[in-house]
């Protein structure tokens, strides 16, 4: 199969029980983490006191980790929809479809088809060792036409 | 508490069932991973056909991940001793004792005391969100005396 350009990955900790904020505070206290970015759910941000964290990016030493609340597509807390929480890897690819196809050809299982999510293409696969890879486009806002 | 210098972390995938080698091959096929280093168990290496992988370091895009077999201190396969497999983070610290103490003060739980392992100081904590951090010294071969 042709080479697929992958840029790298970041571990993503999906925290059940609306505790992503608590996790961020813990990593600051425990490991001196520096918060370098945060995206909250836009609906929850406007209406709720405690916004859902789509993704808080923390730097620990020279390494990056993403911390997220568990939620479903409607922005409601939903651990089941988010796979029950835990650690996944967010892998950045130039061509998400090709990256997913190559992973599946090697033995990974599709968890969610490639769709536009949070303004970027995203597909999820689970590998034969139980690890979830969220394969996301970098700097692409919409799908390219099939060749 | 005083600042503790942390250099960064790498995710470590601990694979049950002696399948670390299969995982390495999968990541090469699925994500074009490049193997940049491997440490095998010295005893197994000499006596067995299939060496236990203490740690294979893979580069996927610009990111690093460690892949390991599950084993106990004697080099026998032992998923229970290794915490049942899964993803942990190997965090490099200048002062392992201080890093463990700071994490515990913030709410982490000690899983294994700081000991010399594989020629380097290593302590393990589990954080309040279920994540295991193996805190390892960088380039230090023995404990420093307590101040």
């Amino acid at each position: 199969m042709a080479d697929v350009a992958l840029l790298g990955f970041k571990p993503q900790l999906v925290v059940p029980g609306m505790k992503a904020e608590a996790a961020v505070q813990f990593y600051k206290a425990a490991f001196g983490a520096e918060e370098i970015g945060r995206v909250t759910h836009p609906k929850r941000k406007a209406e709720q006191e405690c916004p859902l964290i789509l993704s808080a990016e923390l730097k620990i030493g020279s390494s990056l980790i993403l911390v997220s609340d568990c939620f479903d597509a409607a922005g409601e807390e939903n651990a089941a929809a988010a796979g029950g929480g835990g650690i996944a890897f967010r892998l950045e690819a130039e061509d998400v479809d090709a990256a997913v196809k190559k992973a599946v050809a090697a033995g990974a299982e599709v968890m969610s088809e490639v769709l536009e999510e949070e303004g970027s293409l995203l597909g999820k696969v689970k590998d034969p060792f139980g690890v979830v890879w969220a394969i996301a486009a970098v700097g692409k806002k919409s799908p390219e036409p099939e060749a």
Side-chain angles (χ1 to χ4, degrees), chain A residues 87-113:
Chain A
I87 298 164
F89 293 102
R90 191 173 177 97
L91 179 63
E92 298 186 330
E94 287 187 357
D95 182 334
V96 174
D97 280 315
V100 167
K101 278 178 189 152
K102 189 174 174 184
V104 169
E109 175 195 340
V110 173
M111 288 181 71
S112 55
E113 300 290 339

Side-chain angles (χ1 to χ4, degrees), chain A residues 31 35 52 61 65 119 124 136:
Chain A
F31 301 133
E35 184 170 333
L52 267 181
I65 187 169
K124 280 186 195 168

Side-chain angles (χ1 to χ4, degrees), chain A residues 59-107:
Chain A
K59 190 170 185 183
I60 297 175
S62 60
S63 306
L64 298 171
I65 187 169
L66 304 170
V67 178
S68 303
D69 280 310
C70 277
F71 53 88
D72 61 20
E76 299 299 319
E77 206 222 332
N78 188 331
I87 298 164
F89 293 102
R90 191 173 177 97
L91 179 63
E92 298 186 330
E94 287 187 357
D95 182 334
V96 174
D97 280 315
V100 167
K101 278 178 189 152
K102 189 174 174 184
V104 169

